[in-house]
């Protein structure tokens, strides 16, 4: 099934010059970018974005982290995009993430794990609606599309 997922290069990923690296990995997999922008997430939006983690011991640090500098917000589309991106990203704790995954290659600490990807189709819809307006989502056909599916 063709899905859309929300991906974000977190402030450490931007500061460490990983925007191109991350976009490149998603492109190479065959996923299609549908939206992309730099953004400084306001605190109230960060709290809505991470509402499921409110009350956890890392919550305050997480809100500080995600609002500490600009991020790159993206929507990527493709066959099974939600799961495909999660597997490209790797485990939440980069110290446990497999080599070859983005976190496994580029990070070491869960509090600075470089990238976010939606964990389900419903989370993806919620996150896309929170960070993007409909007019920012591009509908287009890419010339490689016939080489990426049967
Ligand atoms: P995910 O990003 O892999 O989906 P979640 O469990 O949804 O992981 O946690 C959201 C974010 O909260 C993580 O990406 C990470 O930045 C932060 N986080 C999660 N667990 C910890 C922790 O134990 N210490 C510090 N930060 C954490
Ligand atoms: Mg999550």
């Amino acid at each position: 099934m063709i899905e859309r997922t929300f991906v974000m290069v977190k402030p450490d990923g931007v500061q460490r010059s990983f925007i191109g690296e991350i976009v490149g990995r998603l492109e190479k997999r065959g996923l299609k970018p549908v939206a992309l922008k730099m953004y400084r997430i306001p605190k109230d939006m960060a709290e809505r974005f991470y509402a499921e983690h409110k009350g956890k011991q890392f919550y305050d640090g997480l809100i500080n982290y995600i609002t500490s500098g600009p991020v790159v917000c993206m929507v990527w589309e493709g066959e099974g995009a939600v799961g495909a991106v999660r597997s490209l990203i790797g485990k939440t704790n980069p110290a446990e993430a497999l080599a070859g995954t983005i976190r496994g290659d580029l990070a070491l600490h869960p509090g600075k794990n470089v990238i976010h990807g939606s964990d389900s189709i419903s989370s993806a819809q919620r996150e896309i609606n929170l960070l993007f307006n409909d007019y920012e989502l591009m509908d287009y056909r890419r010339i490689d599309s016939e080489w990426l599916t049967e």
Side-chain angles (χ1 to χ4, degrees):
M1 191 176 65
I2 300 293
E3 298 170 357
R4 285 182 172 185
T5 190
F6 177 74
V7 179
M8 177 167 65
V9 182
K10 293 177 172 179
D12 53 331
V14 172
Q15 294 297 331
R16 295 174 62 206
S17 303
F18 291 156
I19 300 170
E21 168 85 27
I22 287 168
V23 169
R25 287 185 184 214
L26 299 173
E27 281 187 324
K28 280 179 214 153
R29 186 68 190 271
L31 294 160
K32 179 173 84 172
V34 167
L36 193 154
K37 66 180 174 189
M38 256 188 140
Y39 190 51
R40 182 81 185 247
I41 299 186
K43 186 157 186 262
D44 60 327
M45 191 179 284
E47 287 169 347
R48 283 168 70 194
F49 187 80
Y50 279 129
E52 64 174 303
H53 297 300
K54 195 170 169 65
K56 294 185 185 166
Q57 117 281 345
F58 60 83
Y59 177 77
D60 290 344
L62 176 59
I63 299 299
N64 276 337
Y65 166 45
I66 219 66
T67 57
S68 64
V71 298
V72 176
C73 297
M74 302 178 273
V75 179
W76 288 82
E77 184 182 284
E79 188 68 32
V82 172
V85 167
R86 289 287 286 189
S87 65
L88 283 173
I89 289 177
K91 291 179 81 171
T92 304
N93 183 353
E96 296 170 2
L98 294 177
T101 64
I102 293 168
R103 287 171 175 162
D105 289 347
L106 304 178
L108 272 173
H109 192 280
K112 293 280 186 305
N113 62 2
V114 168
I115 182 169
H116 168 89
S118 308
D119 64 8
S120 65
I121 291 174
S122 60
S123 301
Q125 276 164 355
R126 184 184 74 83
E127 292 166 1
I128 290 167
N129 288 339
L130 191 59
L131 272 305
F132 285 100
N133 296 299
D134 279 350
Y135 63 79
E136 294 177 289
L137 306 175
M138 298 297 122
D139 242 326
Y140 67 106
R141 185 175 166 79
R142 219 169 44 181
I143 58 161
D144 61 4
S145 54
E146 66 181 288
W147 299 100
L148 287 164
T149 53
E150 272 186 325

